[in-house]
Amino acid sequence: MRYVSGQDRDQTALFPLSLEDLVPADHPCRVIEAFVGMLDLAELGLAHALLGRTGRPPHDPADLLKLYLYGYLNQVRSSRRLERECQRNVELMWLLGRLAPEHKTIANFRRHNGLALQRAGAGLVRFCQQTGVVKGHWVAVDGSKFQAVASGKAVVRAADVEPKLARLEERIAHYLAQLDAADSLESDSPIDRSKVQQALEQLRQRREVLVETGRELAAGKRTHLVTSEPDARVMRGVGPGYNLQTVVDGHSAMIVTHALINEATDNRQLQPMAEAAAQALQVQTLDVLADAGYSNGAQAAALEAQALFAHVPANRAVNTQGDGTLLPRTAFTYDPRADAMTCPEGKALTRKQVVRRDHAVIYQAREQDCQSCPLKPGCTNKKRRLVTRHLHEDALQRMSQRATPEAMRKRRCTVEHPFAGLKYRIFGHPRLLMRGLAGAAAEMAIATTVWNLKRAMAMLGAQEMAWKLAV
């Protein structure tokens, strides 16, 4: 008996294997090839999609798009790692025709084609809708935080500015002293003057950034800044990062549309994401499910006017006065004809003022009514009771009534799935590689497109999908 042996490296074959023989018919590479072949690259706006008459021939943007789709599909996002894979990976040899672009070319493609990459993803969504994979009957909206390139050490708050400036001044003084020492010594001095000068210039640049940061913090424009990546914001549990907003189809769990923002909260994203989903799906009416973090009466009213119906639990403030034992606002009824509130004792509360910032109207009772009311000890600790009502209270109530327990269960089962896939099946680790909002958005455009490719292949099968894309 002997071990199974492989082929002799020096053995020649009369009929050598072709790359085509090494890639199965149902391989994802064939889906990527068919998908990119379906796209109009010039219409997408990809750089070098139209060749010039002169100059050195560039790499085909179709090849670089295939390379990135394959890389993210296999958790390979670094341009240097993609360069190495092109030189040793048989699947990439088949996909790119044995081309091996250098890492700078690969990195520049992703950096300069952010909007075009988003348009490519939108083209895949349209294809999946035409084939019936995406139904578009209802969608779920949610957000998740992704860590930026910048670390927590780059975060500067108002209290940190002065100590950091003091340390920088000390280091600058130290390097200036080194330069003076180098001038006083002979030419064979062990001090490298050029390196000291270079370090000094870097410190001066950091000082300018820190001074500008202090000015913005002092002016109250921000509570903190990320000095190495100003677009990033500090997100709870993540540090410097970005907030990915996704709209997910209820039937296929495919991401219909997405947006990367640098706001930590979601309460202003309901309307823009719902409108973007309706535009992507080309539908006149749509049910939009979201959690209480998206509660926004003004946006719910605006969406209803467009036949886009939000299913969101109302996120209302709790009356904490009197240890939370005082009468809640729900004990008061609103009379739209008189524009007044009525208390449980039948007394009227008239409009006092409008707080535009909070989208609320404040109603107040008469002081004499409250003083003689038997319910006053359990109603208010003040001389009179004040009750707030949302400017779009009716829309807020309808939105909350649509948010049934069954709708919220469907939302959780639908919208959380893609986040786990993006973070741990595509990114490998939920940290971005590109600095700035534009760079992070380009990365996210590739990642969401790859997620949709995976979902479509799971539902249609890779071979059938490649065939449909090629038709």
Side-chain angles (χ1 to χ4, degrees):
M1 180 176 290
R2 59 179 181 173
Y3 293 113
V4 175
S5 59
Q7 184 176 342
D8 188 347
R9 295 187 182 93
D10 296 325
Q11 180 179 340
T12 57
L14 182 60
F15 299 104
L17 286 174
S18 67
L19 289 174
E20 185 68 20
D21 297 331
L22 299 177
V23 178
D26 59 349
H27 197 277
C29 278
R30 297 188 182 275
V31 176
I32 294 173
E33 174 73 23
F35 168 59
V36 176
M38 176 196 75
L39 298 173
D40 186 336
L41 303 185
E43 185 178 346
L44 295 179
L46 282 171
H48 302 303
L50 298 175
L51 288 172
R53 294 179 179 273
T54 59
R56 184 175 181 270
H59 278 279
D60 190 342
D63 289 335
L64 296 171
L65 178 56
K66 295 174 194 175
L67 175 59
Y68 268 114
L69 292 175
Y70 177 89
Y72 277 66
L73 190 63
N74 293 277
Q75 298 185 17
V76 181
R77 297 187 291 138
S78 162
S79 59
R80 292 181 183 273
R81 289 186 62 197
L82 286 171
E83 179 186 22
R84 289 196 297 270
E85 289 298 313
C86 288
Q87 298 165 0
R88 66 187 183 188
N89 190 315
V90 174
E91 295 169 355
L92 275 178
M93 291 179 185
W94 179 91
L95 199 58
L96 304 186
R98 290 185 181 271
L99 286 175
E102 63 138 6
H103 68 272
K104 192 67 175 177
T105 301
I106 298 171
N108 285 338
F109 174 82
R110 180 171 55 186
R111 181 179 297 110
H112 298 151
N113 290 287
L115 290 177
L117 291 170
Q118 293 180 29
R119 297 188 189 109
L124 178 60
V125 172
R126 286 193 297 271
F127 163 79
C128 291
Q129 190 176 15
Q130 292 167 3
T131 56
V133 175
V134 172
K135 300 294 185 185
H137 296 156
W138 63 272
V139 295
V141 184
D142 204 357
S144 186
K145 312 301 191 296
F146 283 74
Q147 188 176 357
V149 178
S151 71
K153 296 179 181 178
V155 178
V156 176
R157 295 174 174 82
D160 301 334
V161 174
E162 290 300 329
K164 284 181 178 288
L165 272 175
R167 287 194 294 270
L168 276 178
E169 297 292 353
E170 290 177 3
R171 294 180 66 184
I172 289 173
H174 170 70
Y175 279 108
L176 286 173
Q178 280 191 297
L179 287 174
D180 291 339
D183 289 339
S184 63
L185 295 175
E186 297 180 357
S187 58
D188 59 348
S189 169
I191 298 176
D192 189 337
R193 183 183 178 87
S194 62
K195 290 184 179 180
V196 173
Q197 188 69 44
Q198 183 180 2
L200 181 60
E201 184 60 32
Q202 290 176 353
L203 285 176
R204 283 173 173 161
Q205 291 175 0
R206 287 179 60 189
R207 185 186 183 281
E208 292 176 3
V209 171
L210 201 55
V211 169
E212 183 62 28
T213 298
R215 289 173 184 160
E216 293 196 24
L217 292 171
K221 294 180 180 179
R222 300 184 190 176
T223 58
H224 53 259
L225 286 176
V226 183
T227 54
S228 61
E229 193 169 352
D231 287 346
R233 298 292 183 273
V234 177
M235 308 282 175
R236 181 180 297 177
V238 173
Y242 299 95
N243 186 356
L244 173 64
Q245 298 286 312
T246 60
V247 182
V248 182
D249 177 56
H251 172 71
S252 61
M254 289 182 63
I255 299 173
V256 171
T257 188
H258 74 280
L260 196 70
I261 62 174
N262 55 8
E263 293 184 23
T265 58
D266 302 328
N267 59 353
R268 297 199 298 176
Q269 303 306 316
L270 179 63
Q271 183 178 352
M273 296 311 299
E275 290 175 346
Q279 183 177 0
L281 295 170
Q282 295 295 302
V283 294
Q284 301 299 319
T285 183
L286 188 65
D287 288 314
V288 182
L289 282 59
D291 60 25
Y294 289 83
S295 179
N296 190 311
Q299 293 192 359
L303 290 175
E304 281 188 356
Q306 304 174 60
L308 305 175
F309 302 102
H311 301 240
V312 183
N315 192 6
R316 300 180 184 276
V318 179
N319 185 3
T320 57
Q321 296 184 8
D323 295 329
T325 60
L326 300 180
L327 284 176
R329 65 165 62 91
T330 54
F332 297 76
T333 57
Y334 177 69
D335 183 0
R337 291 175 297 179
D339 189 18
M341 305 289 289
T342 304
C343 76
E345 284 294 298
K347 302 298 182 180
L349 285 75
T350 57
R351 178 188 286 231
K352 179 187 178 185
Q353 69 182 79
V354 177
V355 184
R356 295 291 177 185
R357 183 187 62 185
D358 299 329
H359 301 281
V361 182
I362 300 177
Y363 296 86
Q364 68 177 1
R366 294 194 307 169
E367 187 174 338
Q368 55 267 36
D369 289 340
C370 287
Q371 294 301 324
S372 60
C373 179
L375 299 180
K376 183 179 183 300
C379 182
T380 181
N381 296 328
K382 309 295 183 182
K383 292 182 179 181
R384 65 177 74 186
R385 177 64 189 259
L386 298 177
V387 176
T388 59
R389 186 177 188 273
H390 199 280
L391 280 171
H392 303 279
E393 181 66 29
D394 294 336
L396 203 61
Q397 288 184 3
R398 290 191 295 270
M399 178 186 74
S400 185
Q401 288 170 358
R402 289 191 289 265
T404 61
E406 177 62 21
M408 293 300 98
R409 186 192 67 80
K410 289 165 60 177
R411 182 205 69 82
R412 288 193 301 272
C413 295
T414 301
V415 81
E416 301 294 347
H417 185 194
F419 287 136
L422 286 171
K423 289 185 175 181
Y424 303 107
R425 293 287 183 264
I426 294 175
F427 273 62
H429 183 275
R431 185 168 186 172
L432 297 158
L433 296 180
M434 298 184 67
R435 291 184 185 274
L437 190 57
E443 268 208 88
M444 208 57 69
I446 302 172
T448 53
T449 301
V450 167
W451 167 260
N452 287 340
L453 280 171
K454 293 182 70 173
R455 288 299 303 157
M457 285 189 286
M459 298 183 73
L460 291 176
Q463 195 166 359
E464 182 180 352
M465 185 178 176
W467 178 80
K468 287 180 178 293
L469 282 165
V471 172

